[in-house]
Amino acid sequence: YLGLMQDKALIATSDCDFPGGGIERSLVEIYPGNKTVHLKHIAEVSGLDFGDMLFFDDRLQNVRAAQNLGAAAHQVSPLQGFNRAAFAHGLAAWRSQRLSKQ
């Protein structure tokens, strides 16, 4: 699962334009409300450990919630949103976190 989460309930449809390009739309989840609940749901249905997850959000409190569960998390700019640069920074943080656990 690739969870792209915002506080507004949005539905990912085929006409949405995600700047990452090759993101499979069926893996995109936008979930309003408590991110801890959402990430626990993703872990349960996917079988993923939190340490295998990469989370993006524009709110620091949501980023901290993901980090407290053990997920790599990156705060995106509320003005720029999720873009290639944010993805690259988040991916670098995820890789660094995984290497530090080896």
Side-chain angles (χ1 to χ4, degrees):
Y1 281 80
L2 173 62
L4 302 178
M5 299 153 232
Q6 298 176 359
D7 287 315
K8 298 177 184 170
L10 300 174
I11 298 173
T13 62
S14 60
D15 61 341
C16 288
D17 182 29
F18 292 101
I23 296 173
E24 188 174 329
R25 292 188 197 296
S26 67
L27 300 179
V28 174
E29 290 192 19
I30 299 174
Y31 185 92
N34 187 307
K35 304 311 176 192
T36 300
V37 171
H38 187 202
L39 291 172
K40 286 181 178 181
H41 171 74
I42 290 172
E44 181 181 319
V45 299
S46 69
L48 287 174
D49 292 326
F50 293 115
D52 293 329
M53 294 183 185
L54 174 53
F55 176 83
F56 297 90
D57 202 290
D58 63 342
R59 293 183 153 213
L60 184 58
Q61 67 192 35
N62 294 334
V63 169
R64 295 285 185 242
Q67 291 170 333
N68 287 339
L69 291 172
H74 179 73
Q75 185 177 11
V76 300
S77 163
L79 299 176
Q80 296 176 353
F82 182 77
N83 57 30
R84 290 179 194 271
F87 181 74
H89 282 67
L91 187 58
W94 177 80
R95 286 180 177 149
S96 175
Q97 179 175 308
R98 292 190 47 99
L99 287 174
S100 71
K101 291 182 179 183
Q102 292 181 351

